[in-house]
Amino acid sequence: ARFVREKGGSLLMIGGDTGFARGGYAGTPVEDILPVKLDRPDAPIEEGLFKPRLVDATHPVAMLGDTREETINIWNNLPSLEGRQRIGPKPGASIIADDPSVKVDGANAVIIACAEIGKGRSMAVGPNTTWRWQLGGGPYSKFWENSLYWLSGGEATKKFRVSLKQKKYYPGDEIEIKILTLGRQFKNRVPVVTITDPMSKTIYVERVMPSPSGWAAYFTPSVEGKYTVKAVLESGREILAQDSKAAAVIPPESTEQ
């Protein structure tokens, strides 16, 4: 548990005879860092085929498509899973998918959940039959690639981030700034985008346009040096999220790559 909370480690637990309460984790420090509530150790595994219901299509783990709409369509057409452990939602956890046909303390049973735990991350997967998503060429590999990348703390898993196509530009090049928003709470808020130029002057980007992945803005540098792009989402005086990226503008005759 300390490895996750204090050292920035990750924990992934998958259901089965040795997982969750059946594996003896109820009442242990491991239960404290799981994103789900555990049932009784003697609670039966729910048998039979079922289709998980997608809850959060914007979470990096859930993004099986390039857009939210494509992701929802893929989840709606996934092959059924078989069997699942009875686990319930914990406050503060991100529920990726659930099963409304099974209740745990009155709430839908959790199928997949994630949580930020101190400096680290934790993920729970109730069924151990996601291999069925390989049937018919399903997105089994994509799901686990997303999961492991999120658990590793990869930058692409941030719910709000600035993205630049490259790190080096020439004077006069147009820099495309992408602000990627994966959290539903960020979708309808226009970010404030600023550029800090080589003379430490802050320039506000006036035109920020919606894009399929969030927002887009453009800037054309005129002098060489380091530029820092920053995007901030605000609610009144509160900062909801922020991120920044740096780029270098180099002399036209430079052969640096």
Side-chain angles (χ1 to χ4, degrees), residues 44-156:
I45 291 179
E46 297 288 334
E47 304 289 350
L49 294 174
F50 75 101
K51 277 187 171 288
R53 182 183 72 106
L54 178 63
V55 176
D56 186 356
T58 64
H59 193 282
V61 167
M63 292 287 285
L64 301 181
D66 293 332
T67 65
R68 182 176 181 276
E69 291 70 25
E70 185 180 349
T71 290
I72 292 172
N73 183 60
I74 291 172
W75 276 86
N76 287 342
N77 290 283
L78 284 173
S80 297
L81 299 180
E82 185 171 7
R84 60 278 199 203
Q85 209 134 351
R86 292 173 57 86
I87 50 179
K90 257 187 189 177
S94 296
I95 308 303
I96 309 301
D98 66 9
D99 180 4
S101 71
V102 177
K103 302 295 182 182
V104 178
D105 294 333
N108 294 344
V110 172
I111 302 304
I112 303 165
C114 299
E116 307 274 349
I117 307 293
K119 295 181 179 179
R121 292 178 169 183
S122 176
M123 180 174 173
V125 180
N128 62 0
T129 55
T130 57
W131 58 266
R132 293 181 61 86
W133 287 347
Q134 294 183 94
L135 303 177
Y140 171 83
S141 296
K142 176 63 174 174
F143 169 76
W144 284 110
E145 177 185 305
N146 286 358
S147 300
L148 295 177
Y149 197 47
W150 180 82
L151 285 165
S152 73
E155 182 185 280

Side-chain angles (χ1 to χ4, degrees), residues 6 27 36 55 71 87 132 169 176 179 222 227 234 255:
E6 301 173 17
V36 293
V55 176
T71 290
I87 50 179
R132 293 181 61 86
Y169 297 85
E176 181 183 18
I179 300 99
S222 58
Y227 290 77
E234 300 175 326
T255 57

Side-chain angles (χ1 to χ4, degrees), residues 13-254:
M13 188 172 289
I14 301 172
D17 287 334
T18 59
F20 302 108
R22 293 175 71 90
Y25 293 103
T28 70
V30 171
E31 181 183 13
D32 293 339
I33 61 172
L34 286 171
V36 293
K37 295 179 180 178
L38 305 189
D39 205 350
R40 307 183 323 275
D42 60 347
I45 291 179
E46 297 288 334
E47 304 289 350
L49 294 174
F50 75 101
K51 277 187 171 288
R53 182 183 72 106
L54 178 63
V55 176
D56 186 356
T58 64
H59 193 282
V61 167
M63 292 287 285
L64 301 181
D66 293 332
T67 65
R68 182 176 181 276
E69 291 70 25
E70 185 180 349
T71 290
I72 292 172
N73 183 60
I74 291 172
W75 276 86
N76 287 342
N77 290 283
L78 284 173
S80 297
L81 299 180
E82 185 171 7
R84 60 278 199 203
Q85 209 134 351
R86 292 173 57 86
I87 50 179
K90 257 187 189 177
S94 296
I95 308 303
I96 309 301
D98 66 9
D99 180 4
S101 71
V102 177
K103 302 295 182 182
V104 178
D105 294 333
N108 294 344
V110 172
I111 302 304
I112 303 165
C114 299
E116 307 274 349
I117 307 293
K119 295 181 179 179
R121 292 178 169 183
S122 176
M123 180 174 173
V125 180
N128 62 0
T129 55
T130 57
W131 58 266
R132 293 181 61 86
W133 287 347
Q134 294 183 94
L135 303 177
Y140 171 83
S141 296
K142 176 63 174 174
F143 169 76
W144 284 110
E145 177 185 305
N146 286 358
S147 300
L148 295 177
Y149 197 47
W150 180 82
L151 285 165
S152 73
E155 182 185 280
T157 67
K158 289 181 180 178
K159 288 195 172 185
F160 180 82
R161 63 189 177 99
V162 172
S163 176
L164 303 179
K165 190 173 183 179
Q166 57 201 62
K167 293 182 178 180
K168 294 180 180 179
Y169 297 85
Y170 296 123
D173 285 348
E174 184 178 64
I175 299 177
E176 181 183 18
I177 304 164
K178 292 183 178 180
I179 300 99
L180 308 180
T181 55
L182 300 179
R184 278 182 288 185
Q185 70 270 41
F186 302 150
K187 290 293 185 181
N188 298 319
R189 298 182 183 275
V190 183
V192 176
V193 181
T194 59
I195 311 287
T196 302
D197 69 12
M199 282 73 71
S200 299
K201 178 183 177 183
T202 299
I203 304 163
Y204 282 84
V205 179
E206 295 183 2
R207 192 179 179 196
V208 179
M209 301 164 289
S211 73
S213 57
W215 302 90
Y218 298 87
F219 174 73
T220 302
S222 58
V223 298
E224 301 155 16
K226 178 183 176 182
Y227 290 77
T228 300
V229 180
K230 184 176 182 179
V232 179
L233 272 182
E234 300 175 326
S235 177
R237 295 184 178 181
E238 179 186 2
I239 294 179
L240 300 178
Q242 59 182 317
D243 192 31
S244 62
K245 281 287 180 299
V249 176
I250 59 177
E253 67 275 8
S254 173

